[in-house]
Amino acid sequence: MNTHSYPSHVHLVEVGPRDGLQNEAQPLPAAVKIELVQRLQAAGLRHIEVTSYVSPKWVPQMADKHEVMRGIQRQPGVCYAVLTPNLKGFEAALADRPDEIVVFGSASEAFSQKNINCSVAESIERFAPVVAAARAAGIFVRGAMSCTVGCPYEGEVAAQQVGRLAALMKGIGVQHVGVADTLGVGTPLKVQRAFEAALQHYELHQVSGHFHDTYGQALANTLAALQLGVAQFDASVAGLGGCPYARGASGNVATEDLVYLLHGMGIDTGVDLEALIDAGAYISAALGRTSGSRVARALLARRAQ
Amino acid sequence: MNTHSYPSHVHLVEVGPRDGLQNEAQPLPAAVKIELVQRLQAAGLRHIEVTSYVSPKWVPQMADKHEVMRGIQRQPGVCYAVLTPNLKGFEAALADRPDEIVVFGSASEAFSQKNINCSVAESIERFAPVVAAARAAGIFVRGAMSCTVGCPYEGEVAAQQVGRLAALMKGIGVQHVGVADTLGVGTPLKVQRAFEAALQHYELHQVSGHFHDTYGQALANTLAALQLGVAQFDASVAGLGGCPYARGASGNVATEDLVYLLHGMGIDTGVDLEALIDAGAYISAALGRTSGSRVARALLARRAQ
C-alpha cells in the first residue's frame, strides 16, 4: 500500500473572473464581475485573479479592468491578482493596487513564436522590467508557464523545456511559477515530470498547478501533483473559460470539482462548497449557460429533488 | 518523489452495451447493439458486458438478450459477460453460452432493502445457487459490489461493509469482485479504503474498479486504484448509462477517457483509441446524443479542423 503524505491544506487561486471570463464569448457588465468576485471571496477563496491590464483592442472582455478592481469591496487576507502583459499594463495596474501580478511564458518555442512573435527567451526578457518594477513596489510576482505538457504546434513538450522556462523566470525575479497544462492533454506521469523540472529551480511552496479538463484528466493530474507535495492550484468557478489561442483547449478545471476532491481527501481549502456552488450558479445564469462543473450539476440536481 | 509500480497492462471491461444501454431512456434495435459490440471488439476490447437476463417487465431495454447474444460474430479471446439476477435468468443465459456471468450485491444495507427488498446477506444467499450452477458449467463468476463508497440512503459507506460483502461473495464462490462507486461520490482515499477491504478476501488480480464520473472524480479514483496495483476496470463507451436506482447517479466513466489516461501513463490496454472513438460516435449518433466522453469530444473536434 502506498502512503503519501498529502498536504493538510491547499491554497486555491480562483481564476474564473480573469482567465475564465476572458475566454467566454459573451461580454458581461463590470457590475456582474464585481458581484462574482465578492461571492467568491464570501465563499472563502483567498486568492482571486481579477482582471488583465491588456489593450481592449486585443481583449475587449477586460476593458473594464479599472472599474472592476475599484468596485470590489476588498477583504483583508485576500490576494487580488492581475495579469500584466507589459510595462504599460503594469503601470496601469499600479493605480488599482493589486497584491500580485502575473507574467507568463510558454514552455514551447513554437507556441511562443506563433502567438507572440518572439522566442521564449525574448518574451521573458521583455518581462524583466515588469518584474523589477513590481518587486520594487512590493508586489508579488507569479509566473504562468503555459504548454508545459503539450503544445498545439509541437505536440509533446519535454520536461527539459519546462525546466529551461522556470530557470528563465527565476533569472528575472519571478517568485512563484505555475505549471499549466494549457491544452489539457497531460496525464499524471507527464505532469509529474513537468513539476519535477520546475522544482529544480523553485521550492515546493513556490509552484502551483493549472490544469484544463479538456480531456477529463485535470483531477487525476491534480492528484499526481498533490503526491509530489504541490499545495497550490488554479481553478475556475463553473469551469469558466479556457485558452483562446489554443483551439479546442476550452475547459479550466472547475473550482467546485477540485474542492470536492480535496475535501473528500480530508484536505482543507477554507472554501464553503455550497457557497461556491451558488457563486458558480450566479455566473452561469449571467452567461446563460450550464455550469461546467460536474459537482455543481450533481449537487444542484440533488438540491432540486 | 513517489515511485509507484503501475501495472504495465490494464484489462478493460466494456460495460456500455449492458450497464450503459440499460440505463439509457431510448430503446435501440438489437441490430444496433450487435453492431456496437462488434465495433468494440474490433477496437481491441477483450471483455464486453453484453446484456442482462432479467424480465423484460422490469428492464425492457434488455428484452432482446437472446437476439443480441446470438447475433454477435464472436471473436476468439474475447470474454462475453452477461448479468444474471437469478436462477431463471441464468438458465435462460446458458443457451447463449456466456463466458462470464455477473451477480451483484450492495455494500449498503439500506440500498439493498430499498431496491430489492431484502438484506445484503439474503441477496447473496439467493445468488448462491446461481454461482454454483455457473461454476458447475465452467462459467466464470464476477460479483459487482455496488455502493462501496456512498449510498443514496445511508450517505457514507464504511470500508468494513465492503469487506463484509466481499466475504459473503467469497463464501458463495464468486471468483472476482468489482468495487463500484455507484453514486460517483468517492474520492481517492475513500476508494483506496474500499479496495483495501475487498483485498482482505480477494487477490489483487481478482478485484476491479467501477467508477462513475457524476462528480468528475472517476479518473482520480482510477489513479488511486492503480496505485494499489488494481489492473482491471469497467468503463462504458461514450459514457453510456448509469444507475437507474440511484437518482443523479448517471455517468459511467467513459472508456475513451480511461484509455487516454492509461495510454498517457504508458500502460497498455490493447485498445485502439481512434477505433474506440468511432464506436462511441456510432452509438451516440444512434441515441441522438453527444458523447459523454471528454476525450472523444476533444479528439473529434480536432479531427474536424
PDB file of all heavy atoms in Angstrom, chain B residues 100-113:
ATOM      1  N   GLU B 100     -18.873 -15.441 -18.998  1.00  0.00           N
ATOM      2  CA  GLU B 100     -18.835 -14.953 -17.619  1.00  0.00           C
ATOM      3  C   GLU B 100     -20.236 -14.500 -17.246  1.00  0.00           C
ATOM      4  O   GLU B 100     -20.931 -13.907 -18.068  1.00  0.00           O
ATOM      5  CB  GLU B 100     -17.874 -13.760 -17.535  1.00  0.00           C
ATOM      6  CG  GLU B 100     -17.763 -13.124 -16.159  1.00  0.00           C
ATOM      7  CD  GLU B 100     -16.825 -11.910 -16.156  1.00  0.00           C
ATOM      8  OE1 GLU B 100     -17.287 -10.787 -16.467  1.00  0.00           O
ATOM      9  OE2 GLU B 100     -15.638 -12.087 -15.846  1.00  0.00           O
ATOM     10  N   ILE B 101     -20.628 -14.760 -16.011  1.00  0.00           N
ATOM     11  CA  ILE B 101     -21.868 -14.143 -15.528  1.00  0.00           C
ATOM     12  C   ILE B 101     -21.525 -13.161 -14.420  1.00  0.00           C
ATOM     13  O   ILE B 101     -20.490 -13.288 -13.747  1.00  0.00           O
ATOM     14  CB  ILE B 101     -22.906 -15.174 -15.013  1.00  0.00           C
ATOM     15  CG1 ILE B 101     -22.346 -15.949 -13.816  1.00  0.00           C
ATOM     16  CG2 ILE B 101     -23.408 -16.077 -16.133  1.00  0.00           C
ATOM     17  CD1 ILE B 101     -23.425 -16.457 -12.880  1.00  0.00           C
ATOM     18  N   VAL B 102     -22.402 -12.185 -14.272  1.00  0.00           N
ATOM     19  CA  VAL B 102     -22.215 -11.177 -13.244  1.00  0.00           C
ATOM     20  C   VAL B 102     -23.373 -11.262 -12.263  1.00  0.00           C
ATOM     21  O   VAL B 102     -24.540 -11.250 -12.662  1.00  0.00           O
ATOM     22  CB  VAL B 102     -22.155  -9.757 -13.845  1.00  0.00           C
ATOM     23  CG1 VAL B 102     -21.894  -8.721 -12.752  1.00  0.00           C
ATOM     24  CG2 VAL B 102     -21.077  -9.678 -14.924  1.00  0.00           C
ATOM     25  N   VAL B 103     -23.027 -11.405 -10.982  1.00  0.00           N
ATOM     26  CA  VAL B 103     -24.027 -11.323  -9.917  1.00  0.00           C
ATOM     27  C   VAL B 103     -23.715 -10.060  -9.127  1.00  0.00           C
ATOM     28  O   VAL B 103     -22.666  -9.446  -9.328  1.00  0.00           O
ATOM     29  CB  VAL B 103     -23.995 -12.584  -9.016  1.00  0.00           C
ATOM     30  CG1 VAL B 103     -24.333 -13.826  -9.821  1.00  0.00           C
ATOM     31  CG2 VAL B 103     -22.637 -12.727  -8.318  1.00  0.00           C
ATOM     32  N   PHE B 104     -24.622  -9.632  -8.266  1.00  0.00           N
ATOM     33  CA  PHE B 104     -24.377  -8.325  -7.645  1.00  0.00           C
ATOM     34  C   PHE B 104     -24.901  -8.264  -6.215  1.00  0.00           C
ATOM     35  O   PHE B 104     -25.726  -9.068  -5.784  1.00  0.00           O
ATOM     36  CB  PHE B 104     -24.986  -7.209  -8.490  1.00  0.00           C
ATOM     37  CG  PHE B 104     -26.373  -7.513  -8.968  1.00  0.00           C
ATOM     38  CD1 PHE B 104     -27.492  -7.208  -8.190  1.00  0.00           C
ATOM     39  CD2 PHE B 104     -26.574  -8.148 -10.186  1.00  0.00           C
ATOM     40  CE1 PHE B 104     -28.769  -7.513  -8.635  1.00  0.00           C
ATOM     41  CE2 PHE B 104     -27.858  -8.462 -10.634  1.00  0.00           C
ATOM     42  CZ  PHE B 104     -28.955  -8.145  -9.858  1.00  0.00           C
ATOM     43  N   GLY B 105     -24.391  -7.300  -5.507  1.00  0.00           N
ATOM     44  CA  GLY B 105     -24.806  -7.066  -4.128  1.00  0.00           C
ATOM     45  C   GLY B 105     -24.415  -5.661  -3.738  1.00  0.00           C
ATOM     46  O   GLY B 105     -23.558  -5.055  -4.380  1.00  0.00           O
ATOM     47  N   SER B 106     -25.061  -5.148  -2.705  1.00  0.00           N
ATOM     48  CA  SER B 106     -24.781  -3.783  -2.269  1.00  0.00           C
ATOM     49  C   SER B 106     -23.991  -3.795  -0.957  1.00  0.00           C
ATOM     50  O   SER B 106     -24.244  -4.611  -0.082  1.00  0.00           O
ATOM     51  CB  SER B 106     -26.104  -3.046  -2.070  1.00  0.00           C
ATOM     52  OG  SER B 106     -25.873  -1.851  -1.359  1.00  0.00           O
ATOM     53  N   ALA B 107     -23.054  -2.873  -0.842  1.00  0.00           N
ATOM     54  CA  ALA B 107     -22.317  -2.739   0.427  1.00  0.00           C
ATOM     55  C   ALA B 107     -23.183  -2.025   1.464  1.00  0.00           C
ATOM     56  O   ALA B 107     -22.863  -2.022   2.649  1.00  0.00           O
ATOM     57  CB  ALA B 107     -21.014  -1.984   0.210  1.00  0.00           C
ATOM     58  N   SER B 108     -24.278  -1.435   0.994  1.00  0.00           N
ATOM     59  CA  SER B 108     -25.171  -0.692   1.896  1.00  0.00           C
ATOM     60  C   SER B 108     -26.449  -1.478   2.171  1.00  0.00           C
ATOM     61  O   SER B 108     -27.149  -1.886   1.237  1.00  0.00           O
ATOM     62  CB  SER B 108     -25.521   0.652   1.241  1.00  0.00           C
ATOM     63  OG  SER B 108     -26.789   1.100   1.656  1.00  0.00           O
ATOM     64  N   GLU B 109     -26.744  -1.686   3.445  1.00  0.00           N
ATOM     65  CA  GLU B 109     -27.984  -2.388   3.819  1.00  0.00           C
ATOM     66  C   GLU B 109     -29.215  -1.632   3.333  1.00  0.00           C
ATOM     67  O   GLU B 109     -30.157  -2.224   2.806  1.00  0.00           O
ATOM     68  CB  GLU B 109     -28.083  -2.545   5.346  1.00  0.00           C
ATOM     69  CG  GLU B 109     -27.358  -3.743   5.917  1.00  0.00           C
ATOM     70  CD  GLU B 109     -27.888  -5.104   5.421  1.00  0.00           C
ATOM     71  OE1 GLU B 109     -29.041  -5.196   4.975  1.00  0.00           O
ATOM     72  OE2 GLU B 109     -27.101  -6.066   5.473  1.00  0.00           O
ATOM     73  N   ALA B 110     -29.215  -0.323   3.520  1.00  0.00           N
ATOM     74  CA  ALA B 110     -30.386   0.480   3.154  1.00  0.00           C
ATOM     75  C   ALA B 110     -30.670   0.370   1.655  1.00  0.00           C
ATOM     76  O   ALA B 110     -31.821   0.242   1.229  1.00  0.00           O
ATOM     77  CB  ALA B 110     -30.171   1.945   3.547  1.00  0.00           C
ATOM     78  N   PHE B 111     -29.606   0.400   0.851  1.00  0.00           N
ATOM     79  CA  PHE B 111     -29.767   0.309  -0.600  1.00  0.00           C
ATOM     80  C   PHE B 111     -30.361  -1.050  -0.969  1.00  0.00           C
ATOM     81  O   PHE B 111     -31.263  -1.141  -1.812  1.00  0.00           O
ATOM     82  CB  PHE B 111     -28.412   0.509  -1.280  1.00  0.00           C
ATOM     83  CG  PHE B 111     -28.480   0.753  -2.762  1.00  0.00           C
ATOM     84  CD1 PHE B 111     -28.796   2.013  -3.255  1.00  0.00           C
ATOM     85  CD2 PHE B 111     -28.210  -0.262  -3.670  1.00  0.00           C
ATOM     86  CE1 PHE B 111     -28.845   2.255  -4.626  1.00  0.00           C
ATOM     87  CE2 PHE B 111     -28.255  -0.028  -5.044  1.00  0.00           C
ATOM     88  CZ  PHE B 111     -28.579   1.233  -5.517  1.00  0.00           C
ATOM     89  N   SER B 112     -29.882  -2.107  -0.339  1.00  0.00           N
ATOM     90  CA  SER B 112     -30.383  -3.451  -0.603  1.00  0.00           C
ATOM     91  C   SER B 112     -31.873  -3.536  -0.241  1.00  0.00           C
ATOM     92  O   SER B 112     -32.697  -3.979  -1.040  1.00  0.00           O
ATOM     93  CB  SER B 112     -29.569  -4.462   0.213  1.00  0.00           C
ATOM     94  OG  SER B 112     -29.899  -5.780  -0.155  1.00  0.00           O
ATOM     95  N   GLN B 113     -32.199  -3.067   0.959  1.00  0.00           N
ATOM     96  CA  GLN B 113     -33.590  -3.116   1.419  1.00  0.00           C
ATOM     97  C   GLN B 113     -34.515  -2.316   0.502  1.00  0.00           C
ATOM     98  O   GLN B 113     -35.580  -2.798   0.106  1.00  0.00           O
ATOM     99  CB  GLN B 113     -33.697  -2.572   2.853  1.00  0.00           C
ATOM    100  CG  GLN B 113     -33.099  -3.490   3.913  1.00  0.00           C
ATOM    101  CD  GLN B 113     -33.917  -4.774   4.149  1.00  0.00           C
ATOM    102  OE1 GLN B 113     -34.998  -4.953   3.587  1.00  0.00           O
ATOM    103  NE2 GLN B 113     -33.375  -5.674   4.955  1.00  0.00           N
TER     104      GLN B 113
END
